[in-house]
């Protein structure tokens, strides 16, 4: 008996919606992969430049982002901020953010000092972090922000010792009343404080985004193929 195609509106609409969603999400993941590749190119380019010395002069985020920086100053340890939901090797923990007053100026820079394990039994119990004695010199990489995670509910106001999901230099500067550089320094040098400084590379995840894009495009194709295949019916009815 001849094969005939039977058009039905509801399966057609469902297939079009599923394909549109798959294509849109595939494009989004492709764009994310392209952005990460551009970041990697900038990282390699700026890795060859000499470290940027922070001396209180104004540096824009465009000038400083992804560059190695060196700064001398004093940590404001009464203004530690703890970023929650930052696991490391499967262990729950915090990123520790601390403003540093740049030596010889009234300018500050927010330093992501490192990772510390969280108390599993009591989330609100803050870890004891040794204080480097006196002024210190640190090196690191300038970033727009110390990463971002999904914020569930209303964010708590920033204050000394706050445990929050997200924070950046502008928010900390406003809350503490400090003049802040418009970027964060991810510290890589040691200051004998016991913190882990194994920062994820900003460009990591290109292959993951490419893989997700392929899956979404495959979903779109599957939806359309399923509509066509199931539309065929044998016989004349």
């Amino acid at each position: 008996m001849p094969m005939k195609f039977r058009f039905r509106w509801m399966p057609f609409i469902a297939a079009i919606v599923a394909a549109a969603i798959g294509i849109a999400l595939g494009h989004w993941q492709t764009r994310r992969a392209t952005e990460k590749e551009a970041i990697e190119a900038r990282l390699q380019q700026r890795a060859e430049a000499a470290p940027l010395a922070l001396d209180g002069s104004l540096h824009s985020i465009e000038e400083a982002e992804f560059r190695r920086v060196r700064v001398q100053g004093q940590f404001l340890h009464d203004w530690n901020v703890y970023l929650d939901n930052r696991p490391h090797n499967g262990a729950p923990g915090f990123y520790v953010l601390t403003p540093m007053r740049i030596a010889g100026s009234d300018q500050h820079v927010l330093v992501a000092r490192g990772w510390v394990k969280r108390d599993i039994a009591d989330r609100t119990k803050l870890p004891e972090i040794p204080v480097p004695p006196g002024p210190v010199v640190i090196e690191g990489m300038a970033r727009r922000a110390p990463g971002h995670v999904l914020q569930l509910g209303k964010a708590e106001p920033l204050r000394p010792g706050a445990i929050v999901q997200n924070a950046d230099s502008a928010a900390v500067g406003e809350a503490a009343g400090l003049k802040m550089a418009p970027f964060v320094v991810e510290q890589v040098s040691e200051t004998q404080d016991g913190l882990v400084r194994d920062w994820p590379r900003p460009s990591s995840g290109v292959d993951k985004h490419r893989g997700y894009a392929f899956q979404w495009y495959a979903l779109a194709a599957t939806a359309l193929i399923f509509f066509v295949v199931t539309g065929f019916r044998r016989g004349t009815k």
Side-chain angles (χ1 to χ4, degrees):
M1 297 180 67
M3 298 284 291
K4 291 187 176 181
F5 184 78
R6 182 182 178 187
F7 181 86
R8 291 175 294 174
W9 276 107
M10 289 303 294
F12 173 73
I13 293 173
I16 291 299
V17 170
I21 292 174
I23 292 172
L25 292 175
H27 285 349
W28 174 62
Q29 290 290 348
T30 300
R31 287 195 300 271
R32 292 289 293 140
T34 302
E35 291 170 0
K36 292 292 185 72
E37 289 172 342
I39 289 174
E40 178 61 29
R42 291 186 66 193
L43 284 170
Q44 294 183 10
Q45 179 187 25
R46 297 204 160 188
E48 300 174 358
L52 180 65
L54 303 182
D55 55 5
S57 302
L58 296 179
H59 297 281
S60 67
I61 182 61
E62 289 75 18
E63 177 188 4
E65 188 178 24
F66 302 136
R67 282 194 63 176
R68 294 178 296 152
V69 300
R70 181 182 295 114
V71 56
Q72 180 177 1
Q74 182 97 32
F75 281 120
L76 278 61
H77 291 283
D78 56 346
W79 251 101
N80 283 345
V81 174
Y82 300 85
L83 298 187
D84 201 2
N85 291 325
R86 296 322 199 263
H88 177 70
N89 291 337
F94 303 113
Y95 282 170
V96 182
L97 306 182
T98 308
M100 169 184 275
R101 183 184 178 95
I102 300 175
S105 76
D106 62 350
Q107 185 84 6
H108 297 75
V109 63
L110 186 61
V111 180
R113 297 170 56 196
W115 178 90
V116 65
K117 188 175 181 180
R118 176 171 64 82
D119 188 298
I120 299 178
D122 185 0
R123 171 183 173 275
T124 62
K125 184 178 180 181
L126 296 177
E128 294 184 5
I129 301 174
V131 178
V136 295
V137 177
I138 68 165
E139 294 184 357
M141 177 190 291
R143 297 287 307 278
R144 288 182 179 269
H148 188 275
V149 298
L150 179 64
Q151 175 70 53
L152 299 177
K154 184 178 179 181
E156 296 185 11
L158 284 173
R159 54 178 175 74
I163 300 175
V164 295
Q165 302 294 323
N166 302 290
D168 57 23
S169 59
V172 174
E174 181 179 359
L178 302 173
K179 294 176 61 177
M180 299 286 286
F183 48 81
V184 176
V185 174
E186 282 186 349
Q187 181 180 345
V188 296
S189 57
E190 288 299 325
T191 49
Q192 305 300 319
D193 52 19
L195 297 174
V196 177
R197 298 183 178 89
D198 183 19
W199 303 107
R201 191 167 178 82
S203 59
S204 63
V206 173
D207 291 340
K208 180 183 67 175
H209 290 301
R210 296 288 187 196
Y212 287 157
F214 175 80
Q215 292 176 11
W216 285 117
Y217 289 140
L219 173 65
T222 300
L224 295 176
I225 293 172
F226 183 79
F227 167 72
V228 173
V229 170
T230 57
F232 282 100
R233 293 291 184 270
R234 290 185 177 275
T236 59
K237 292 185 180 180

